[in-house]
Amino acid sequence: LIRDHVSALLRDVAEGRISPDEALLGLTLAPLEAIDVATIDHHRALRQGFPEVILAQGKTAAQVVDVAAHLARRGDGFLVTRAGDEVRAALSERFPAVIVNDVGRTVRLEGNQPPARRAGPVLIVTAGTSDLPVAEEAAETAAALGDEVARLTDVGVAGIHRLLSRGGMLLQARVVIVVAGMDGALPSVVGGLVAAPVIAVPTSVGYGASLGGLAALLAMLNSCAAGVTVVNIDNGFGAAMAAARITRALASGGPP
Amino acid sequence: LIRDHVSALLRDVAEGRISPDEALLGLTLAPLEAIDVATIDHHRALRQGFPEVILAQGKTAAQVVDVAAHLARRGDGFLVTRAGDEVRAALSERFPAVIVNDVGRTVRLEGNQPPARRAGPVLIVTAGTSDLPVAEEAAETAAALGDEVARLTDVGVAGIHRLLSRGGMLLQARVVIVVAGMDGALPSVVGGLVAAPVIAVPTSVGYGASLGGLAALLAMLNSCAAGVTVVNIDNGFGAAMAAARITRALASGGPP
Amino acid sequence: LIRDHVSALLRDVAEGRISPDEALLGLTLAPLEAIDVATIDHHRALRQGFPEVILAQGKTAAQVVDVAAHLARRGDGFLVTRAGDEVRAALSERFPAVIVNDVGRTVRLEGNQPPARRAGPVLIVTAGTSDLPVAEEAAETAAALGDEVARLTDVGVAGIHRLLSRGGMLLQARVVIVVAGMDGALPSVVGGLVAAPVIAVPTSVGYGASLGGLAALLAMLNSCAAGVTVVNIDNGFGAAMAAARITRALASGGPP
Amino acid sequence: LIRDHVSALLRDVAEGRISPDEALLGLTLAPLEAIDVATIDHHRALRQGFPEVILAQGKTAAQVVDVAAHLARRGDGFLVTRAGDEVRAALSERFPAVIVNDVGRTVRLEGNQPPARRAGPVLIVTAGTSDLPVAEEAAETAAALGDEVARLTDVGVAGIHRLLSRGGMLLQARVVIVVAGMDGALPSVVGGLVAAPVIAVPTSVGYGASLGGLAALLAMLNSCAAGVTVVNIDNGFGAAMAAARITRALASGGPP
Amino acid sequence: LIRDHVSALLRDVAEGRISPDEALLGLTLAPLEAIDVATIDHHRALRQGFPEVILAQGKTAAQVVDVAAHLARRGDGFLVTRAGDEVRAALSERFPAVIVNDVGRTVRLEGNQPPARRAGPVLIVTAGTSDLPVAEEAAETAAALGDEVARLTDVGVAGIHRLLSRGGMLLQARVVIVVAGMDGALPSVVGGLVAAPVIAVPTSVGYGASLGGLAALLAMLNSCAAGVTVVNIDNGFGAAMAAARITRALASGGPP
Amino acid sequence: LIRDHVSALLRDVAEGRISPDEALLGLTLAPLEAIDVATIDHHRALRQGFPEVILAQGKTAAQVVDVAAHLARRGDGFLVTRAGDEVRAALSERFPAVIVNDVGRTVRLEGNQPPARRAGPVLIVTAGTSDLPVAEEAAETAAALGDEVARLTDVGVAGIHRLLSRGGMLLQARVVIVVAGMDGALPSVVGGLVAAPVIAVPTSVGYGASLGGLAALLAMLNSCAAGVTVVNIDNGFGAAMAAARITRALASGGPP
Amino acid sequence: LIRDHVSALLRDVAEGRISPDEALLGLTLAPLEAIDVATIDHHRALRQGFPEVILAQGKTAAQVVDVAAHLARRGDGFLVTRAGDEVRAALSERFPAVIVNDVGRTVRLEGNQPPARRAGPVLIVTAGTSDLPVAEEAAETAAALGDEVARLTDVGVAGIHRLLSRGGMLLQARVVIVVAGMDGALPSVVGGLVAAPVIAVPTSVGYGASLGGLAALLAMLNSCAAGVTVVNIDNGFGAAMAAARITRALASGGPP
Amino acid sequence: LIRDHVSALLRDVAEGRISPDEALLGLTLAPLEAIDVATIDHHRALRQGFPEVILAQGKTAAQVVDVAAHLARRGDGFLVTRAGDEVRAALSERFPAVIVNDVGRTVRLEGNQPPARRAGPVLIVTAGTSDLPVAEEAAETAAALGDEVARLTDVGVAGIHRLLSRGGMLLQARVVIVVAGMDGALPSVVGGLVAAPVIAVPTSVGYGASLGGLAALLAMLNSCAAGVTVVNIDNGFGAAMAAARITRALASGGPP
């Protein structure tokens, strides 16, 4: 192992077997291996603080339960996304303490050291009821990461008064995640109303020229509201991760 | 000529040289040619009532002036679209009575029998100032076709209050043409506010993922406001033609 | 609630507790919430007059029946679109009075106050028999909205005489909806024959380079007949909604 | 040279230096080189009979004149396509006998042994005047290949009577080339009217959602008239080549 | 009926009730309806001579059998394409005389007056075994239309000698249909070897960047062999129809 | 004006001319106009705090100078983006105090009340030197908005050690903007190294299959680092706006 | 057969019945058939040395077993790719000696004369666990072709230290195959670290804007590391074939 | 500098100020900076051995000359690609010893220590003369990297005998680069004929449905010849770099 190699090298220096210059040469000759993986991984966990996430899609229920059990044994907690009916049932049976979200198709278990709750909501705004699965995936991910979550649903732009009448809710959010399919118009309106960070999530809701969500994605990338950012189609998970990058910085008050 | 052929046939019947049945056979044996072109064209002009339109794009100024002069001599009037600086200058010099629109790049001349003015405005709503050339092409076309035109400009959805504050104007329109590039979100909002026919025109305003207006086009085709229709990118002319199909029906009160 | 807030504010003014200027400030400080949602929704219903529509796609039969029952109890009537076999069966059983269209996959129930029938047909022209499901969705929607419907089927342009021989039908329509897949050529021919509004509906009929209806959609957007408008692929519902925006204006004679 | 190698091998066999079996082995060990290039090229010329074609696009006028001069010296004749103003001028000056087509941007010179004229026209049908450059490229290519050419122009489907009134012309064509941009609808109508081979040429005429001719191309590939074939966008040259493959077979009466 | 109307008009002329000029006016006032539909359809049948084709895709076995029975009763014969296992079984049971092609998924029945057999083969060249279903659809269609069929299979360009060794077969074909997926390269090689008409059929064989056959389609449209024409992806039927347009002209020797 | 209308209404209530209920009705009957535009705009300015931005693209130098002069007279400051050589020269001459960035093609003038400087850098990481124009547009926008800017350039992933050796800089950033064209790989690496918010900007740098930046855009949307967000191609301005939404929240410590 | 024809020709020469020149003419007159197919195929086998590969996709288990049995009887060995559960089970039962790879969905049997093992590994680097099926297809193909295989898995760029810590493995590889979906970023990093040939394989892992692997494919084609080559999406087989073309040249030391 | 930091750390260990364990911790706490950049860059140069390449596209002649001068002063040599007329002229004037390739638009200067010439040609096969600029870019790059280059031009598949007659040349190549636009068919034929590594380069030669080279690119990615790899459109440079990765391994005989 590299760690052993570097460790041995340092011992050789300490005991005078090789000079510091020779050790330096030794380190630089193998530069790509000079990094202690375990240590970095440890650091990374500290820095990133994200619980382990299991993407259930493409895995059997048994496989998901196995990985989840491994994490639970370590007391780590987990978040399972894109979990179909069978996966959700299997996890519920095995881990009675889990929180299941049927709409968002997620299952999560708090770890022994859950992230500290952060004040101020991440607001998840949804254009139509068909967008709810993506919105709920975002909501559960945000909750798993320690964020307070607020929801504003069915406020698509074709009935603009529904959105406007909830202006207060918009203005109090710390980060706004906007979930919309079809014309992807909602983030532009929201982005013009609030000064907070706005993360747009296109969904694959629609048919024909919606091209599986590409129409909404393109609309959002071309938002006429400045400073709106976008994640992949149906990526509620990624939007919540992006929000958590922001709320953590807000919570710590300093460089993240 | 076919007309002569049919005419001769009818004369033969009248004078007993052939029986009606033989004439019928004669007509059906040449079925595709049994239509008098000139007559139809005359009928079509009556039915459609559209003045002659010259698409200047891809033509020299001299070519455009030639065609325009031909129409003017007949007293027909004309509408020239996509007219560049040189074309507009050449037409202005040759026909002092023309109405030139520099933003919309159009030049038009009223004919001796201009279409009757129809009451109630066609309202042209524009998202941003960059969309004005397309909006003005629509406005000039509508005017050439006999429609009263109203304009509501720079009311993009990122500043939704600007649109909402002009609600009265929206509610009084007979037909609404909505011109927008980038995210193409405006027709969805307008379509939710008014019950009148809404024609959406995507523009090629934008860059990168706007894909030359495809992003706006797709968004409009997926509008979450029901019953919004769409024309080609930058097709202000076509939108006004579509509007005139409606306003004429409104004016006549019966089947068009 | 906002209504209460504004109401209280007004009472304060009436009773002299605050001055009109203070009230004005109060209203403008919360501008986004100054709209009474219920009232608007009521107004919107009056203006739009559309019955409630349930998109069955993505919902279970039980869910659809639930929503339908809710509407029926209010005496509102409903229109269910994209209703599969199971959904249609469930609705038929529960609401014996419904009108079921198996080809168009729709089920509808008239409300206590159905929209007034409007004279003059919306003509639905169909290129091939494979396009009928979309055409029938349009027909049922138009009927639900109070429009008289006429049909002209299997008149694709590869047998142009079939269309031409029905010229009278075309000329008597108030609005023409043209439904076509594959090459999407039919709206261009129809748009050249009639002066009435023409709404083109591309369908996903075809394979290979039809790209799920994109070929027909693009052809229609590039129609060489001026003033043809287009809706999303397979969107029979949207085409009928667009037609109703027009026929209502025709029926009222004034601004819609 | 391979020919020499094979020739030597055969002489060795004739003179008994090697056995037939050894020669066979020699031939098969170098199988890919066992073909006499010159002979094939000669054969191919006989079989294909196409005059030499120079694509001027991307070449300077001087380069085109050089190649043309080389061919002319051999008495072969030539056809230059996509020839800009400068190229056409340079060729006209150098070869006074050339036939120049300014619309089609072609220049051609008959060779000493021009192909025999074949009876029965290749009919070139054009949707709009903007499609003429492509149509004329086809016409000149067809003429260069020995085909009689007929033209039917400006018969787009939005004025279907113009096409129908020329039914006789359509029915007398041996091969029909249909040139159309925008919605690409014309080949479907023509394909339904005639039993002759129909070759569709999409053009890049249009803007926005015409996608540089892709809309017309896709429409033609999805033609609802069976047995219509398609060539590349703006490829008038290729369409005429395809037509000549057919008319030659017709002229010879047997396998081509 | 129009026929009656025109017939009455002619009788009025014959009997002096109206003048030929008045009758001419009468005909032109209803120009779009002046065509005798039945007659045209009769003519078209004569001109086109294609047996009735049933596209089984999207129909139940019972529906296909119904239509087929209707045609069989008239003694017309039929060709069913895209016929799945169930459809083929149902047709075989009902019509013992049918010719079934399991690879091509076709079933056909000769009519009482089958088209005359035409000499000289339509050669169907196939790149790989996965392309056979499309090739066999073409072969059965060609046979149904009266063409003699020859086959050359599994001669993809990655083993070019297999194709070259069958040069004689290529040179004797009257029309060549080339069926290929993946890189779509085969028509270019074949087009360079033969002077006969070449019709290229891209197939959806492949995965990933084959984009469902689009890669092969685009390659064929850009064929470096001049005069190769293309039909839609997997459209073996259309290719054979295009071939028949050619072979009929060859058989009749004159204008089709 | 609406304000006057509401004001009058309130005075009527104060003076007993109408009851509060009547006033409420009055307000709700004109709901869309019940918002005082000026007030909202004022509020919006407070909330958003963005200086005025002029997109020079598509405007003449004179037009840009005009708008800029108008803003400068009000003491507002401005930021001009996509400013070509001529525009930059014209602005420099007219406003000697402007800060010109030739690489980023921006010109900006501080207003009388510039935004407060916020601590902690927005780090702009750039893959290659060709990406610098977009990066500098972002840098100037960020500076105009009050953000401290740090730069890390030419650290593309094909020389990963260059990026890794600057790990400290990465870890100290409050927000990281990553600008990359071609393969768009850099944000994934950066997103895995830092916990701060990461905003990815694809650029149109590249050729062929880069499709004008679409390749990089798609790669970034599919980033394997969770929580990376994306803006439009070449949209350095938008990325800085998104960053400012975050840094303002960080600066205020509370809901934005 | 051609061989017989040429053989006869040579015997005629040997026995003086025809002159060498006449034989040469005879050979050139039938140039396309002058190649002995069997011989070439034999040569090709020698040159290419690839075992027979059966693509199971689209074949029944019975069909695959049939082909495999045919090859096994000849002692040739085989490699079956894209083999589903049923196919793998059927082959295992019939050929107990096969090597089955469940992840890579391959089954292979060594022939009597397996290719010589070549020293120095082909290293297969994989971004994520979802990419393993493609990586294992590559690994099994490489093994079947005689290459030593090494694996480096789950080293995606979002955790760049995992890759860097295995630098030694990278530097010792003779050829590197890099398998990645989503953002396709890994080949750029690997290509910058090693001087060996790098073959990138995009996978269809991902959703939404991954467009079935197109995003990764485009990223790889635009790799900022020079000299990286790419194969089709999910084409592990093709990557290993490409690698074998290289390792064979390395093994032979001379022209392949 | 990091090097200094690590150096100091090692000295502390040597002199007993800190223990090896503390040093290890120190190294791992700053893991991302623990790599000596200069050393790596030196190593990389040794490993990669590529001369410096300047992409002239997007740079002024003066800028290119500046960078070139900097390299020349160090005695390094350079290769300038995509060099327009002006750039080539400027470099020729400043560096009389350069080798200029006008077709390939390259300029190169040998360094003081040019790479050792490697035996065995890299063969560059070109479909048509329009593909020569890309082929020559590849040829010059290969030469600059120390490879012997052979050329086989104008051997497109529509005249397959031209390619086949040069079989010997194909069989003697160590690596084959195949350059083709339009249908991109040539690599499939070449890949089937040779066992050597084949690198396919699509070019943007073509128009219409060639989509700027995408048609050729897709065809090549779907090549029916196994083990063909592909680089970006027009990327002659990248193809030669990929070839050099292979030829170097061949030259060294061991792991690269």
Side-chain angles (χ1 to χ4, degrees), chain A residues 129-130 158-172 182 193 206-211, chain C residues 2 31-35 37 40-41 44 55 57 59 82 137 212 214 217 232-238:
Chain A
T129 52
S130 308
I160 194 72
H161 59 281
R162 289 200 300 267
L163 177 68
L164 297 181
S165 69
R166 307 300 293 277
M169 205 166 177
L170 283 170
L171 296 177
Q172 285 154 24
M182 301 182 73
L193 292 172
Y207 59 87
S210 86
L211 302 177
Chain C
I2 307 155
L32 296 175
E33 309 203 20
I35 303 166
V37 179
I40 284 193
D41 263 0
R44 182 166 168 269
L55 177 70
Q57 197 169 292
K59 299 199 181 72
R82 310 277 163 111
E137 182 182 290
L214 274 181
L217 170 63
N232 194 5
I233 298 164
D234 290 339
N235 194 2
F237 167 72

Side-chain angles (χ1 to χ4, degrees), chain A residues 166-186:
Chain A
R166 307 300 293 277
M169 205 166 177
L170 283 170
L171 296 177
Q172 285 154 24
R174 292 195 144 225
V175 177
V176 186
I177 292 173
V178 187
V179 182
M182 301 182 73
D183 54 18
L186 189 53

